[in-house]
Each structure stands twice: as C-alpha cells, then as structure tokens.
Amino acid sequence: MSDAAQPTAAEVRAAADAVKTALDRHLEAVERRTGDDDLTVYDAFNALAAAAEVYDELLYDRYDEVTPFEIPGADDSLPPYAGPEEPHAVSVLIRRDYAVVEPPRLLAQAQRLADLDPEGHDNAAAPVVGAGVHAALGVLFGEYEADEIASRHKEFGLEEGDSTLWVSAVEELPEPGEWLGAPFDEADPSLVVCRFDVSAVFDEEDDADGDPEISVAERA
C-alpha cells in the first residue's frame, strides 16, 4: 500500500474507539438477553465483529501490526435456526458477482451468439458490439444458465468476485409467480439450512493458483 493510501493515526484511533463501543453494546445486550434467539445479541455480535475487522485492517495498514482477534467467518454468522424441523420444500438463493475485465472479449462472445441466432434478439439489424456492454450482458445471460457462466466466466471476459448460495427451508412451495416481483425480499438467515460462500477474504495465505477459498456453513 502506498503512503498516500495509508490510514491516518486518527482513523486507527477512531476504529479502536468503535471496537470499545461495540464491546460495551455487546455486553449490555448479553446482560439483557431474553432467550437463546435474542436478535439484539445477534446484532450486537455482528456489529462487534465488523468493528474488530475494520480496526484490525487499519492497524495493519498503518503500523504493520495485528490483533489477537479472530473474526468470525460465514459459518459463525448464522442466527439460531428457526425453520421447520422437517422441511417439505427448500428455496435456493444465489448471488454471484463478476467484474467485466475484458469488454472486447465479452462483446465478441455476445456478437457471435447474436450472429448465430439473429431472430432471437431484438433489433437484430444493429450489431451487439455497437450496443455496448449492457446489451452484451443481456445476450450472454439470456443464452447461458448461471452455472455455465460461472464455469466459463473467463471466456466471457469476466472475473469472479464473491458468491454465496443459501439453502433455506420453507413449509411449502409458494404459489407460482408469488415472489417473482421481489425474489429476495424474504431471505431470512434464520431459515437457512446450509450456505456456501466463495471469497478471497477466506484466504489465510496466498494460494498458488489464485483461486478463492470456499466457506461452508451447515446446520448440525
């Protein structure tokens, strides 16, 4: 990190003060807990973990020092399970982030697809390449399933970011079309049976292949 990008001593001190405040709030929440599933304790726990992580990063960037804190990973971040003991259905929620690192490659792939099926795309007379990245992404994700894009992302000029998959228990399947207007509004961590996260943040040391680490959180 360059000197210009380093945090100031005041920023490190402010982060330390934030940890102290979060510690006090966490202790207060624990002292006033109303049961094993107290959401106030859960929220205070997450706030303390976030504050400690910020402080740890700033301390290292400024002074090349570390703390003894172990920041909880995804397997520690789920609240107590509150779903049915024997789910009759599951809902799978997926998020994958990509950076468009090679726009020409993306545009070329989209143009190839448009040329193969000119009647399958709106305004086929206009080249997809001329329409830009926005149109190219529409062609690409309209042609391939999300899992295929994930396995072939480099071919399409994309670079993987974080991704997560949640398997949530539900009593029964919703009616067709019931949640299509807002598919992620009812994502409830307390109903998660298991989740799978992929992120470089889980790396404990440099990986020779540069591949991101996978964190798995699964209910006992």
Side-chain angles (χ1 to χ4, degrees), residues 69-116:
F69 303 147
E70 181 178 352
I71 307 304
D75 55 337
D76 298 316
S77 64
L78 294 176
Y81 179 67
E85 292 186 6
E86 297 184 7
H88 298 292
V90 295
S91 179
V92 180
L93 307 176
I94 301 174
R95 171 173 173 168
R96 296 188 178 110
D97 289 350
Y98 299 96
V100 181
V101 293
E102 295 184 75
R105 181 183 291 272
L106 172 67
L107 293 168
Q109 289 282 5
Q111 187 65 60
R112 181 181 62 81
L113 292 172
D115 291 343
L116 290 174

Side-chain angles (χ1 to χ4, degrees), residues 6 20 25 30 50 60-61 65 71 85 88 98 100 111 113 122 154 162 183 193 214:
Q6 285 183 348
K20 297 172 188 176
R25 290 177 178 172
V30 171
Y60 182 80
D61 290 343
E65 277 292 343
I71 307 304
E85 292 186 6
H88 298 292
Y98 299 96
V100 181
Q111 187 65 60
L113 292 172
D122 295 335
K154 292 182 180 179
D162 288 356
V193 177
I214 299 176

